[in-house]
Amino acid sequence: MRTLTSILCGLILSALLIFAIKLSTPEVPEGMALIPAGDGVDAFYMDVYEVTNAQYRKFIDANPQWEKDKALTSIVGDDYLSGWNGNMYPKRKANHPVVKVSWFAAKAYAEWMGKELPTEAQWERAARGTLEGKKYPWGDAKPRKRANYNRYTRSVSFRNPPTKEVGSYAPNRYGLYDMVGNVEEWSLDRLDVDDIHGRYHRMRGGSWFDGAKDIQVAKRSQHPVNEGMGTLGFRCVLPKTETKSMKVATDIAAWLSDEMCGQFDSAFYSVSEGYTAPVNLDAKLADIVMFNTGYPQTFEKELIRVLREVGPEGAEDMPYEAPIIYYDLILRLWRLYLEVHFNHSEESVFGKLRLFKERVTENIDDIVLSDGC
């Protein structure tokens, strides 16, 4: 009897111990790995694989504004999803990493998933997989059959690049696949300087295009924020502690209004120097608005109408004609409207204008009193 009692007690204690261990062990989200804190980085979860074509297809199905033929060229580039046939990825490539995706599109996907793009520090800590100071996620040995790299030839198509299915090679010690090679990966971090041609963000990991030296963990590169490449994809992270970064809708709106500001200035300068005939200025400005917003310039009358309704004394006298006289003010209105547009893509234009009116009312001082664009 004592033996039976001892066995039962032992089983109960074992069950309690297993239960306690489960309670103390954090539940790792599906498809992610826990990256412990270290190197000044808090613990976080990272996608085990790069985001695939099939996963990205689900995103655009749920968010039609990011479909290949609907996304704004100004924020995704001319080559967005160029290897796709409409909204269908290339045959037999469902589980290959998605490419030709701009930073804005990658961040929009991450937010839709409730995640974020990794910072450079997060990416590098995860890629090393506890092997500090080593060239690659597996150590210092040459890549050989450990990564998809050095695949470029003259016959290679960047529209249908020689990527491989995610997980085709052994993972690192954190259980992460393809941290180097296959495709480079967008990071959250912005290059710390502005190039005269625009804004750039960091990329890490190297790709199928690169040689062995260029897929080392420490290698860094950068690319324009509004363009993708056939060598560039991404994966997401989920911080364990709450973090705050600018929402993609706010970021896109700010970036586009800044772009229009510079393009307007360039157009005015071109006329003042005699490079462009004054009669062509209106058409040039209209092209700038359409390219950056997807709306005809005549839509600015709606933005002015809202301002006249809620603005301070004198706003009602702002003319609908020749709004370019107030182009810095118009750009601030566009910034608010575009933020609403990307935050509430499911709304009709009338719904967006209603929400825009609320935003103008809340920010009227910043809109009217700010200097320049």
Side-chain angles (χ1 to χ4, degrees):
M1 182 63 72
R2 286 183 179 179
T3 302
L4 181 59
T5 303
S6 298
I7 292 173
L8 288 172
C9 288
L11 290 173
I12 292 171
L13 287 173
S14 296
L16 289 172
L17 179 60
I18 292 171
F19 182 70
I21 291 173
K22 286 185 176 180
L23 284 178
S24 61
T25 303
E27 185 176 346
V28 179
E30 183 179 358
M32 306 193 85
L34 174 63
I35 314 301
D39 303 323
V41 178
D42 292 336
F44 62 97
Y45 301 105
M46 176 175 265
D47 287 345
V48 170
Y49 304 114
E50 293 156 333
V51 174
T52 66
N53 285 313
Q55 290 172 319
Y56 197 78
R57 166 68 189 274
K58 291 180 180 179
F59 164 65
I60 63 174
D61 283 347
N63 300 272
Q65 72 273 22
W66 291 102
E67 290 179 0
K68 178 179 178 179
D69 297 328
K70 292 182 180 178
L72 272 177
T73 301
S74 54
I75 59 173
V76 297
D78 293 321
D79 223 16
Y80 179 59
L81 300 179
S82 61
W84 290 40
N85 182 11
N87 293 316
M88 177 52 68
Y89 46 79
K91 292 180 179 180
R92 296 181 292 279
K93 286 205 168 186
N95 293 321
H96 285 236
V98 65
V99 295
K100 300 294 183 75
V101 173
S102 72
W103 183 91
F104 287 126
K107 192 171 192 306
Y109 173 94
E111 289 185 8
W112 177 70
M113 291 292 293
K115 300 178 182 180
E116 183 56 281
L117 295 179
T119 64
E120 280 199 275
Q122 287 174 327
W123 188 94
E124 185 158 338
R125 175 154 180 77
R128 291 194 178 281
T130 75
L131 297 179
E132 296 300 322
K134 301 297 183 180
K135 293 179 181 178
Y136 304 103
W138 55 82
D140 288 328
K142 292 183 179 180
R144 291 178 179 155
K145 296 183 179 181
R146 296 183 175 92
N148 182 24
Y149 74 106
N150 201 28
R151 298 283 303 281
Y152 175 71
T153 66
R154 289 187 178 182
S155 62
V156 162
S157 168
F158 284 85
R159 289 173 59 87
N160 191 16
T163 55
K164 289 197 174 185
E165 282 197 11
V166 296
S168 293
Y169 300 90
N172 73 359
R173 293 188 180 182
Y174 287 142
L176 304 172
Y177 294 82
D178 303 310
M179 289 303 292
V180 296
N182 216 18
V183 293
E184 280 192 281
E185 298 175 14
W186 281 117
S187 78
L188 185 65
D189 298 354
R190 179 177 177 174
L191 190 63
D192 56 4
V193 296
D194 281 322
D195 186 88
I196 60 171
H197 300 296
R199 169 178 150 190
Y200 288 68
H201 274 252
R202 292 290 191 184
M203 309 180 302
R204 302 299 297 266
S207 74
W208 57 264
F209 178 89
D210 297 302
K213 289 184 178 180
D214 290 323
I215 66 167
Q216 293 180 13
V217 172
K219 289 290 185 178
R220 313 163 75 195
S221 55
Q222 56 277 331
H223 194 66
V225 69
N226 60 326
E227 296 177 5
M229 290 193 296
T231 57
L232 177 58
F234 67 102
R235 76 178 75 209
C236 305
V237 297
L238 185 61
K240 288 193 68 180
T241 55
E242 185 176 353
T243 59
K244 290 184 179 180
S245 66
M246 185 181 292
K247 291 295 183 182
V248 70
T250 303
D251 196 4
I252 290 173
W255 186 79
L256 286 175
S257 63
D258 287 345
E259 287 289 289
M260 284 195 286
C261 181
Q263 291 165 21
F264 281 159
D265 285 345
S266 178
F268 293 142
Y269 177 80
S270 183
V271 169
S272 68
E273 294 296 309
Y275 304 132
T276 299
V279 294
N280 296 328
L281 179 60
D282 287 343
K284 177 64 175 176
L285 299 177
D287 288 343
I288 290 171
V289 171
M290 176 59 81
F291 176 76
N292 286 286
T293 71
Y295 288 86
Q297 191 178 27
T298 53
F299 189 75
E300 290 175 351
K301 292 181 179 180
E302 295 296 328
L303 307 185
I304 296 168
R305 178 184 60 77
V306 170
L307 180 63
R308 292 177 66 176
E309 289 178 5
V310 304
E313 184 178 352
E316 66 276 7
D317 297 326
M318 184 178 180
Y320 289 111
E321 299 79 15
I324 200 58
I325 296 173
Y326 306 93
Y327 89 100
D328 56 337
L329 177 59
I330 289 295
L331 284 172
R332 292 194 287 276
L333 293 175
W334 268 122
R335 179 169 179 166
L336 276 184
Y337 181 79
L338 289 171
E339 186 175 346
V340 170
H341 173 79
F342 286 104
N343 256 327
H344 303 278
S345 58
E346 74 287 351
E347 292 278 353
S348 66
V349 172
F350 297 108
K352 290 173 184 175
L353 284 170
R354 174 180 53 80
L355 294 168
F356 170 67
K357 185 175 181 179
E358 294 175 5
R359 295 284 285 131
V360 171
T361 303
E362 294 167 0
N363 296 274
I364 191 63
D365 288 343
D366 290 337
I367 293 171
V368 176
L369 300 178
S370 294
D371 293 324
C373 59

